[in-house]
Amino acid sequence: MTLSRDIRIFMELDQTDRRILGQMQRDCDISLESLGEIVGLSRNACWRRIKLLSEAGIIKGKVALLNADALGLALTVFIQVRTDQHDPDWSAKFARATRTLPQIQGVYRMSGDLDYLIRAQVADMKDYDHLYQKLTSSVSLADVSASFVMEEIKDTTALPL
Amino acid sequence: MTLSRDIRIFMELDQTDRRILGQMQRDCDISLESLGEIVGLSRNACWRRIKLLSEAGIIKGKVALLNADALGLALTVFIQVRTDQHDPDWSAKFARATRTLPQIQGVYRMSGDLDYLIRAQVADMKDYDHLYQKLTSSVSLADVSASFVMEEIKDTTALPL
DNA sequence: ACTGAAAAGGGCACGGC
DNA sequence: GCCGTGCCCTTTTCAGT
């Protein structure tokens, strides 16, 4: 019974759903009343749609976005990682290590010549070195190189609708 | 009067503030009552702290996080861009173009050999090609190469506290 | 899909530590 | 100063129509 493995249910979204999602992914700290006015619906219709969208897993959750600079995390760094070990044991260890480190926001296994791309947020170079030391001491990595963000031109969690 | 340009006020954060922020950046859809219990404070003390943290700009806002897969955006791509034009006019144009495209979540000017790194979310290869066409037609780019995400090991908006 | 009513939660002023 | 309590008003939630 592996037939259903790759089947994915896509909920039908109309223009109003999209408008609701669009607003909420920009700012969800808004009353149902105001949201209703924006999308042209009663507060209640909005409420029921949001409930459905949440239950369908389209809305993953609501979070507060924090200001990295104000928290003293001025440096964003992308770390490129190459490995010579491709066994599942190594992968699990690498995943666990990166998921545990709170400085790391994203870890992606990539196509192409580099194996993994890591996005992290640190205070400064010294702090980056800490992260580097922790990372390389918990898993063996063949090649690690870092690129630092000089300027953040765009940074959003909003997806296209 | 350029002396104050780089001055930044860091608000003193105690352990309770950190606990509040930690909870809210994981899930802000929680009542002040519950939050108070978690951090060991009354609902009102929480409320006042959150208000201060927002006014200080430490909390940038509250947003709904959407499920990219459920929206049919299965492909995450990192686009490396090199340019030969470094005049401010080109930069402004590039910034405007990337900020306008909703498929693009992040644009970073980098140190090192590549100039810009772009993170985007698209449906599939065809959709990526659309994005590529739009991007290259609105600004002149010397070199563009894409790396596709095979597996997302970690992806969070939570910053270390 | 709207109305309305009960329940929950947010916002604010005051008093206490 | 900062915390907590009590009160009121807004918002959410969910019934019925």
Side-chain angles (χ1 to χ4, degrees), chain A residues 47 53 56 67 80 95 98 106 114 116 118 121 127 146 148 153 157:
Chain A
W47 176 75
L53 290 165
N67 184 332
Q80 289 114 276
T98 51
L114 80 140
Y116 292 92
I118 296 174
Q121 200 87 36
D127 198 20
F148 297 92
I153 294 158
T157 55

Side-chain angles (χ1 to χ4, degrees), chain B residues 79-152:
Chain B
I79 308 169
Q80 289 115 277
V81 170
R82 250 174 279 267
T83 176
D84 35 17
Q85 301 184 46
H86 292 276
D87 54 295
D89 203 58
W90 183 91
S91 300
K93 231 163 139 183
F94 177 71
R96 193 144 24 82
T98 51
R99 282 200 264 252
T100 305
L101 292 164
Q103 290 89 353
I104 294 177
Q105 269 75 57
V107 180
Y108 311 95
R109 185 162 62 78
M110 307 297 294
S111 69
D113 49 342
L114 79 140
D115 293 318
Y116 292 93
L117 184 64
I118 296 174
R119 188 194 164 181
Q121 202 86 38
V122 292
D124 47 35
M125 278 294 171
K126 198 181 138 200
D127 198 19
Y128 166 69
D129 194 48
H130 280 152
L131 178 63
Y132 174 86
Q133 300 290 350
K134 275 204 177 178
L135 196 60
T136 51
S137 67
S138 45
V139 275
S140 79
L141 305 171
D143 185 37
V144 181
S145 75
S147 303
F148 297 93
V149 172
M150 299 287 104
E151 187 189 357
E152 200 174 276

